[in-house]
DNA sequence: CAGTATCCAGCTAGATACTG
DNA sequence: CAGTATCTAGCTGGATACTG
C-alpha cells in the first residue's frame, strides 16, 4: 500500500470518482444531459419541442414517425438510441402493434411524467434567468478598450 | 432554392437546429451538464459535493485550493476552466487579493445562488426517484431465461 | 414503418509538465 | 498559490446505407 503524498492523492481521487458514480444527482444529470432526452420528454409530455405552438397539449402516446417529424433535426440513430435508453430506465413504454407495416407507439410512464414535471422547473428558471446569463457572457466577451 | 423532398428536409433540420441554439432550456442544459459545474455550485452553495458531511452549511466564498481539495477528483485544468466559464456567465465572482502569494476566492452571485436553489429541486427528484430508474435499468438488462 | 449497422468528425475532459 | 500550455484517449452524436 502506498503511503506517499502522490499515492494518497491518487486514492482520494479514486474514492471521489466512486462517490460520483453512485451519487443520485450525478446520475440524473447524466441521464438528462443527452442532446435529445429533454426534447423527447417534452414531446411525449405534451410540451413544446418545437417553435410552432401547434403541438402543445396533454401528454399522449406518439408514434416513432410522429416523433421523428416533430424533432426535425434528430437522426434515426439518435431517436432510436434515446428512446431505447428511456425505455430501459422505465421512463417511457414502447408498444408494438402487429399491423402491416408495424405500428410502434411510445408513451411516458408515471416516472417519466414525474421527470417531465421536474423539468418544467428547469424550464421556468431558464426562461426567467438565461437572458441575464447571456448578457453577462456578452459583457465578459467584450474587449474592454 | 431547393424544392425537392430532400431539400425540404434539410431546411427543416436547419431551422430546428437554429431553434435549439436559442432555446433557453437547451442553453441551460448545456450550461449545467458539464461534469464539474454542479459540483462547484454545490460546494460554493454550502451543499455537499462530497460524501463526508463535514462540508455542509451556508453559502460562503472559497479559495481555489479549497475547492481543489473538496472536489478531490478534479484536474487543475477543469477546475480553472469551469470556474472561468461560471464567472463569464455571471454565476460566480472571482476576487484576487494581492498578498504574497496571491489569494483568489470564488463566491456565488445572486444569479448563481438562484441556480443553486433550482438544482436542489433536481437533487430532490434524484433522491426520490433514481432508485426506481436504476431498478428498471437492472430489470431491463437482466436476460430473461 | 420502424428500425439496424457502420464509419467518422468533433468535442470533453484527463494526464502531464511548466510558471509568475 | 493559482494558475497556463500541450497532447491525447474516449465518448457523443451525425451521415449514410441497408432491412424485416
Amino acid at each position: 500500500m502506498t503511503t506517499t503524498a502522490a499515492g494518497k492523492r491518487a486514492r482520494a481521487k479514486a474514492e471521489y470518482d466512486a462517490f460520483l458514480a453512485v451519487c443520485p444527482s450525478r446520475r440524473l444529470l447524466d441521464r438528462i444531459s443527452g442532446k435529445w432526452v429533454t426534447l423527447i420528454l417534452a414531446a411525449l409530455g405534451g410540451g413544446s419541442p418545437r417553435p410552432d405552438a401547434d403541438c402543445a397539449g396533454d401528454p399522449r402516446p406518439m408514434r416513432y414517425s410522429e416523433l421523428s417529424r416533430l424533432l426535425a433535426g434528430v437522426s434515426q440513430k439518435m431517436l432510436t438510441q434515446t428512446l431505447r435508453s428511456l425505455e430501459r430506465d422505465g421512463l417511457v413504454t414502447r408498444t408494438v402493434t402487429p399491423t402491416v407495416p408495424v405500428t410502434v407507439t411510445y408513451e411516458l410512464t408515471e416516472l417519466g411524467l414525474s421527470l417531465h414535471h421536474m423539468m418544467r422547473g428547469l424550464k421556468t428558471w431558464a426562461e426567467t434567468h438565461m437572458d441575464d446569463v447571456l448578457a453577462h457572457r456578452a459583457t465578459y466577451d467584450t474587449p474592454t478598450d
Side-chain angles (χ1 to χ4, degrees), chain A residues 35-36 39-40 64 67-80 82:
Chain A
K35 179 165 178 182
W36 301 103
L39 294 162
I40 290 177
Y64 182 90
L67 284 167
S68 183
R69 235 173 303 115
L70 212 54
L71 290 82
V74 74
S75 65
Q76 287 187 318
K77 176 192 162 185
M78 287 316 296
L79 183 53
T80 302
T82 308

Side-chain angles (χ1 to χ4, degrees), chain A residues 47-56 69-70:
Chain A
S48 188
R50 290 185 63 129
D52 16 2
D54 64 3
C55 52
R69 235 173 303 115
L70 212 54

Side-chain angles (χ1 to χ4, degrees), chain A residues 5-21:
Chain A
K8 283 188 182 176
R9 245 180 288 120
R11 240 175 302 119
K13 192 188 164 311
E15 279 166 31
Y16 197 71
D17 285 348
F19 158 64
L20 289 186

